[in-house]
Amino acid sequence: MPPRRFGETARPDAWWVQPVAVFLGFTAFIVYSTWAAFQGSHFWFNGQGADYLSPFYSPELFYPAQYPQAAAHAWFGVQPYWWPNWLVFSPAFLVLWAPAGFRLTCYYYRGAYYKAFWADPPNCAVGEPRKTFLGERYFPLVLQNVHRYFMYLAVIFIFILGYDAWKAMWFADATGAAHFGIGVGTIVLTLNVILLASYTFGCHSLRHLIGGFLDEPSKVSACAKGFACVSCLNRRHMMWAWFSLFWVGFTDVYVRLCAMGIWHDFRIF
Amino acid sequence: MKTVTFRIWRGDAGGGKFTDYTTDVSEGMVVLDVVHKIQATQANDLACRWNCKAGKCGSCSAEINGIPRLMCMTRMNTLPTDQPVTLEPMRAFPNIRDLTTDVSWNFRVKTKIKKFNPRKPDAPDGTWRMQQADVDRVQEFRKCIECFLCQDVCHVLRDHHKHDEFIGPRFLVYTAALEMHPLDTEDRLPELKQAQGIGFCNITKCCTKVCPENITITDNAIIPLKERVVDDFYDPLGWLWKKLRPKV
């Protein structure tokens, strides 16, 4: 059989739709998240007593010197003195690399972006543009094996974002006293951590480390139960990956637009 | 009953071309039925391998409209018939003639994988004890009928011809069935990393999509094996944990 040229296939279906959709979806997210990270402002909303923090900026390790209002969330105070003057300071720079690394090395995302960005292959049984192929055996793609370390960090982030969602349930009155309440932003932040947790706790590496490494998991009941739970989420890993990606971006949009005064945060009770 | 055109590859290792055959298709027919009808009425010399006609022998693997599938399990009413239906042999293996390919490479690969090596018997009568839950995990891999459709769709073999460096999804499933077996004691991870080239898999999941037995090849076999290779060769903390953790 003669070898197939790039894009050549006998498939009559619209095989190109999936990689194009993935390409557009990932590109849109990368462009928006990079833009949002460089803003360094409007990442928190405290109007009407609310306390919303964008997930792109959480945990806020240091606050930008020009925004002392953002000090409330900062763990270690004002931005470090050694930060270079030529580079704009944004708290997002200090945290976004971790979830970005987790998604970049995720098994689902790898398969998706190899197809959509490298056409390796463009889709199943479709001709490829290159003759050489090294796979994940050599540098740089052998570094994908670091995925489990990013997973450890991603799990920590889930607890931090869970705390942010909890704080979004408390609204300060005129005297400064906090009262339990639910605003639209509370729902947005809570849904965000639920979707991110569903994605993170369905990770293939976690599935392996929690019990998959055993040949007889039934001998360690905690491992067997953990393996079953992670497997349950893992079966829909792609779905959780996309839902959480969209919603974490939307959460930043919501907090940003509320902080800019463009959207009004509706208080449900 | 409707009339459908089939565009079938006719040729051998030396070359060939697509030839159109038009025939009537009735309700309930599968692609293999149509091939047999064309063989009986229009092309007596059309070569095609088949056996059970029930999706269990894995003989009639071919590419139907560009997708690797079993001819006996592809119903005609699932295919668009307003344009010719393309039928060609598997591209990952040498063509013998028409729709038949030489899949003997697969059997040679299988001989190189370390065999099942059980632990000492658990009982004096020479038998073992296993929990059903632990066996269930590898039981999925035993459904494989060796149709080699996963090998055919894998671009590492199909487009990059890494047959000397990569064993392909079928044998990663086979290795997973042995490696995760509750009784097995053999260590196949060094070979998986080196000679068998698990690192070539870039997780396209095409193998999972074409499996007629619906084995979750990528998620349940290949990725867990990749993680085990990471344990042994790429994760210093994991390596340390493996040395220190209590044996179960």
Side-chain angles (χ1 to χ4, degrees):
Chain A
M1 302 290 292
R4 289 230 155 103
R5 298 186 303 276
F6 175 41
E8 188 183 359
T9 181
R11 288 176 60 170
D13 60 329
W15 58 266
W16 48 271
V17 169
Q18 186 192 29
V20 168
V22 169
F23 179 84
L24 293 176
F26 287 173
T27 303
F29 183 82
I30 291 165
V31 169
Y32 174 74
S33 57
T34 306
W35 175 84
F38 268 91
Q39 296 311 295
S41 61
H42 298 116
F43 57 85
W44 75 96
F45 175 65
N46 53 9
Q48 304 150 50
D51 188 4
Y52 302 156
L53 179 64
S54 163
F56 285 2
Y57 286 77
S58 183
E60 186 191 358
L61 300 178
F62 300 96
Y63 68 92
Q66 69 271 33
Y67 294 114
Q69 318 89 294
H73 295 106
W75 289 17
F76 305 115
V78 72
Q79 69 185 66
Y81 68 90
W82 44 261
W83 192 265
N85 289 328
W86 51 266
L87 180 62
V88 61
F89 176 76
S90 169
F93 294 158
L94 302 177
V95 294
L96 267 188
W97 59 271
F102 180 55
R103 291 196 186 247
L104 188 72
T105 58
C106 162
Y107 283 102
Y108 162 67
Y109 280 112
R110 275 146 71 176
Y113 67 70
Y114 288 145
K115 283 182 187 165
F117 286 79
W118 272 285
D120 208 4
N123 208 332
C124 302
V126 178
E128 296 187 22
R130 295 169 218 91
K131 286 196 166 58
T132 55
F133 180 74
L134 299 176
E136 296 182 337
R137 297 193 87 185
Y138 303 99
F139 183 82
L141 294 185
V142 72
L143 295 179
Q144 303 279 27
N145 291 315
V146 78
H147 182 55
R148 60 180 57 177
Y149 286 92
F150 280 116
M151 182 270 292
Y152 300 142
L153 293 172
V155 168
I156 295 170
F157 272 68
I158 294 302
F159 289 102
I160 293 170
L161 294 175
Y163 179 65
D164 290 343
W166 170 252
K167 284 180 73 178
M169 294 174 188
W170 297 90
F171 293 77
D173 61 17
T175 65
H179 300 278
F180 182 78
I182 300 287
V184 172
T186 311
I187 296 170
V188 170
L189 263 74
T190 305
L191 197 53
N192 177 55
V193 74
I194 291 171
L195 291 172
L196 285 174
S198 300
Y199 168 61
T200 305
F201 293 126
C203 165
H204 289 89
S205 287
L206 180 61
R207 186 178 181 228
H208 169 75
L209 293 164
I210 207 163
F213 69 96
L214 293 169
D215 291 339
E216 294 180 279
S218 67
K219 286 190 172 175
V220 188
S221 106
C223 287
K225 284 178 182 151
F227 181 72
C229 290
V230 175
S231 297
C232 183
L233 288 169
N234 182 266
R235 282 181 210 113
R236 295 277 180 275
H237 200 46
M238 179 182 82
M239 182 190 81
W240 295 120
W242 278 104
F243 282 2
S244 62
L245 188 77
F246 172 79
W247 201 258
V248 75
F250 175 74
T251 306
D252 181 82
V253 169
Y254 186 84
V255 173
R256 185 170 298 281
L257 293 183
C258 286
M260 293 170 79
I262 297 171
W263 278 0
H264 174 76
D265 180 55
F266 180 69
R267 178 87 175 268
I268 297 168
F269 68 86
Chain B
M1 178 99 60
K2 57 185 170 182
T3 304
V4 179
T5 299
F6 273 74
R7 187 159 291 162
I8 302 178
W9 174 262
R10 301 300 311 268
D12 54 27
K17 63 182 175 59
F18 284 99
T19 305
D20 284 359
Y21 299 94
T22 300
T23 186
D24 291 334
V25 171
S26 56
E27 193 179 347
M29 285 179 85
V30 295
V31 170
L32 185 59
D33 294 330
V34 180
V35 169
H36 282 160
K37 189 173 177 186
I38 292 169
Q39 206 177 36
T41 58
Q42 301 179 52
N44 302 142
D45 59 344
L46 175 62
C48 139
R49 188 182 285 131
W50 65 280
N51 195 351
C52 74
K53 294 182 82 175
K56 288 296 165 197
C57 73
S59 301
C60 62
S61 303
E63 298 196 6
I64 303 167
N65 277 346
I67 300 284
R69 304 177 78 168
L70 293 178
M71 288 193 285
C72 71
M73 297 304 285
T74 307
R75 297 182 78 89
M76 283 306 302
N77 62 6
T78 63
L79 299 174
T81 50
D82 54 338
Q83 52 195 318
V85 174
T86 307
L87 256 184
E88 51 191 319
M90 291 193 284
R91 287 178 160 263
F93 306 111
N95 189 209
I96 297 174
R97 192 177 148 188
D98 302 337
L99 298 177
T100 58
T101 47
D102 177 6
V103 294
S104 58
W105 169 81
N106 293 285
F107 305 117
R108 290 195 295 276
V109 168
K110 198 171 190 177
T111 61
K112 293 177 187 165
I113 296 170
K114 283 181 183 168
K115 301 292 176 260
F116 180 60
N117 183 13
R119 67 182 181 224
K120 286 180 184 168
D122 298 328
D125 63 355
T127 58
W128 289 269
R129 302 291 178 267
M130 293 181 285
Q131 293 300 310
Q132 187 61 46
D134 298 332
V135 182
D136 283 344
R137 188 174 173 203
V138 292
Q139 202 66 27
E140 177 190 12
F141 309 138
R142 302 294 296 270
K143 292 194 298 178
C144 178
I145 58 172
E146 295 205 323
C147 59
F148 304 125
L149 291 176
C150 56
Q151 305 283 71
D152 182 43
V153 81
C154 176
H155 73 126
V156 183
L157 300 173
R158 177 191 183 86
D159 293 308
H160 299 292
H161 309 292
K162 299 281 186 189
H163 294 73
D164 294 334
E165 301 168 80
F166 181 55
I167 59 175
R170 159 58 194 139
F171 296 107
L172 291 174
V173 167
Y174 178 68
T175 305
L178 296 169
E179 194 66 21
M180 297 175 191
H181 195 287
L183 301 185
D184 186 69
T185 58
E186 200 64 79
D187 179 12
R188 299 170 185 82
L189 299 179
E191 290 87 351
L192 266 180
K193 177 177 177 280
Q194 294 299 334
Q196 297 166 0
I198 193 170
F200 277 115
C201 171
N202 66 340
I203 324 150
T204 64
K205 296 200 176 185
C206 295
C207 49
T208 304
K209 285 176 189 161
V210 303
C211 179
E213 287 292 322
N214 298 313
I215 301 170
T216 317
I217 299 174
T218 317
D219 291 303
N220 288 351
I222 299 179
I223 293 175
L225 286 179
K226 274 179 172 265
E227 284 294 315
R228 288 182 181 215
V229 169
V230 174
D231 281 346
D232 276 17
F233 298 101
Y234 298 107
D235 179 6
L237 291 180
W239 179 85
L240 195 62
W241 167 244
K242 207 169 179 178
K243 295 287 175 201
L244 298 178
R245 74 180 160 90
K247 301 294 176 198
V248 292

